[in-house]
């Protein structure tokens, strides 16, 4: 494996809900082979293996966004220089929150869940999240998908057999409160919530939104609406769509194209 070089920026990869740091395994090897130091922080308490988390859902149910954001901020700030930050799904929300704090040399969100203020909810997204939102008691639980629900929400562009294999290796429950509080309630509560960002901030890292054209959980209309919120900022904000990819774009076949586009963009536009 190639050792990190002095010119290659470090990379921080942030996982989303229903996943752990394990979901980035291929990207870690891919980027390290290109000479980058790669850090994949877990949410606090999520450092144990997928199988252990499934057996201890209380850890998941009690997770908090402020604690997670503080932990990720500490990871980023501990590095010798500002890194490229990449986040998938809710990791994309966390990436935007980190950028809002002035962190990172460049940032890429992949199929990002939106921060507060994005009110676009396409039918496929509602169907994807319905298993969590149909029962208010799920606000206090760790809630997972069934294999059938996972195939629709995450991996609809691959076969059911491939989706089930990915489910067995990667899927964990998610904090139901996060889906309720930040996916449903935040836009209707008065005042700024925990996923609010200053979209008009000028002094921030360049930000790229990557979307999958066949993503059911975070469809392109959601991503574009999120990116449009930054239209009054002088900082660079761009979008890019991979038309035939699902929410599972970082794992499904062809993930290398997404990884390379994200890294090339971030490297070209990074603040030095």
């Amino acid at each position: 494996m190639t050792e990190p070089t002095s010119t290659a920026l470090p990379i921080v990869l942030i996982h989303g809900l229903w996943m752990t740091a394990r979901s980035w395994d291929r990207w870690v090897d891919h980027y390290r082979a290109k000479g980058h130091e790669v850090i994949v922080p877990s949410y606090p308490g999520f450092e144990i293996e997928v199988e252990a988390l499934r057996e201890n859902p209380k850890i998941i149910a009690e997770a908090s966004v402020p604690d997670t954001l503080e932990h990720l901020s500490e990871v980023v700030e501990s590095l010798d220089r500002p890194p490229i930050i990449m986040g998938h799904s809710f990791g994309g929300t966390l990436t935007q929150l980190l950028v809002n704090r002035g962190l990172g040399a460049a940032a890429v969100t992949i199929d990002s869940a939106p921060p507060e203020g994005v009110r676009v909810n396409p039918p496929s997204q509602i169907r994807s999240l319905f298993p969590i939102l149909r029962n208010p008691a799920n606000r206090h639980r760790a809630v997972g998908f069934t294999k059938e629900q996972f195939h629709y929400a995450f991996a609809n562009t691959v076969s059911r057999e491939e989706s089930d294999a990915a489910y067995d290796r990667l899927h964990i429950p998610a904090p139901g409160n996060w889906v309720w509080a930040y996916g449903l309630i935040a836009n209707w509560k008065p005042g700024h919530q925990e996923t609010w960002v200053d979209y008009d901030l000028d002094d921030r890292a360049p930000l790229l939104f990557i979307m999958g054209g066949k993503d059911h959980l975070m469809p392109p209309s959601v991503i574009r609406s999120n990116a449009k919120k930054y239209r009054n900022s002088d900082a660079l904000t761009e979008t890019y769509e991979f038309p035939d990819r699902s929410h599972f774009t970082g794992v499904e076949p062809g993930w290398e194209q997404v990884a390379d586009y994200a890294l090339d963009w971030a490297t070209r536009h990074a603040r030095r």
Side-chain angles (χ1 to χ4, degrees):
M1 183 178 295
T2 304
E3 291 296 322
T5 66
S6 59
T7 58
L9 289 171
I11 301 171
V12 175
L13 301 174
I14 304 173
H15 66 84
L17 301 185
W18 297 286
M19 294 283 131
T20 70
R22 184 185 286 184
S23 62
W24 289 113
D25 283 355
R26 293 174 178 174
W27 289 51
V28 171
D29 292 342
H30 191 66
Y31 286 159
R32 285 178 178 165
K34 293 177 180 291
H36 293 267
E37 176 187 8
V38 185
I39 302 94
V40 193
S42 295
Y43 301 171
F46 286 44
E47 298 86 357
I48 59 178
E49 290 295 337
V50 166
E51 295 76 12
L53 275 171
R54 291 171 182 160
E55 295 176 359
N56 295 276
K58 185 178 179 182
I59 296 172
I60 299 171
E62 295 179 350
S64 85
V65 167
D67 288 348
T68 301
L69 184 60
E70 287 304 318
H71 172 65
L72 295 174
S73 295
E74 290 173 3
V75 169
V76 171
E77 291 174 323
S78 71
L79 300 175
D80 292 338
R81 50 183 169 161
I84 295 168
I85 305 172
M86 298 186 188
H88 175 254
S89 199
F90 201 88
T93 305
L94 294 166
T95 295
Q96 292 179 68
L97 291 168
L98 292 169
V99 167
N100 194 67
R101 291 186 171 200
L103 300 177
V108 180
T109 72
I110 302 158
D111 307 327
S112 181
E116 180 183 346
V118 178
R119 293 183 170 87
V120 176
N121 299 111
S124 70
Q125 184 182 57
I126 295 171
R127 177 179 169 182
S128 296
L129 295 175
F130 182 73
I132 288 81
L133 297 176
R134 66 184 173 187
N135 185 353
N138 285 339
R139 292 181 64 181
H140 310 290
R141 300 171 177 164
V143 189
F145 290 120
T146 66
K147 287 186 176 181
E148 180 180 2
Q149 292 162 352
F150 180 85
H151 186 225
Y152 179 82
F154 264 77
N156 51 290
T157 58
V158 301
S159 70
R160 178 62 187 271
E161 181 180 10
E162 292 171 295
S163 176
D164 287 356
Y167 179 99
D168 289 338
R169 183 173 182 273
L170 300 172
H171 174 269
I172 62 168
N177 182 56
W178 291 25
V179 181
W180 273 83
Y182 312 118
L184 182 67
I185 298 173
N187 285 333
W188 311 107
K189 288 180 67 175
H192 296 321
Q193 307 304 307
E194 292 163 344
T195 56
W196 178 84
V197 300
D198 181 358
Y199 292 111
D200 296 340
L201 191 66
D202 294 326
D203 185 19
R204 61 158 172 84
L207 179 59
L208 171 67
F209 288 85
I210 289 179
M211 67 195 93
K214 294 185 178 178
D215 189 336
H216 284 168
L217 187 57
M218 294 297 160
S221 59
V222 175
I223 309 301
R224 290 194 178 95
S225 181
N226 188 167
K228 189 176 180 180
K229 290 287 185 180
Y230 290 96
R231 62 187 178 275
N232 293 325
S233 170
D234 289 337
L236 178 65
T237 307
E238 292 187 352
T239 62
Y240 188 84
E241 179 177 345
F242 287 88
D244 296 322
R245 304 191 69 79
S246 70
H247 194 69
F248 215 38
T249 190
V251 180
E252 67 182 332
W255 60 267
E256 299 94 338
Q257 298 173 10
V258 184
D260 287 342
Y261 187 92
L263 180 58
D264 290 346
W265 187 96
T267 301
R268 282 188 287 111
H269 295 292
R271 300 192 293 186
R272 304 288 179 174

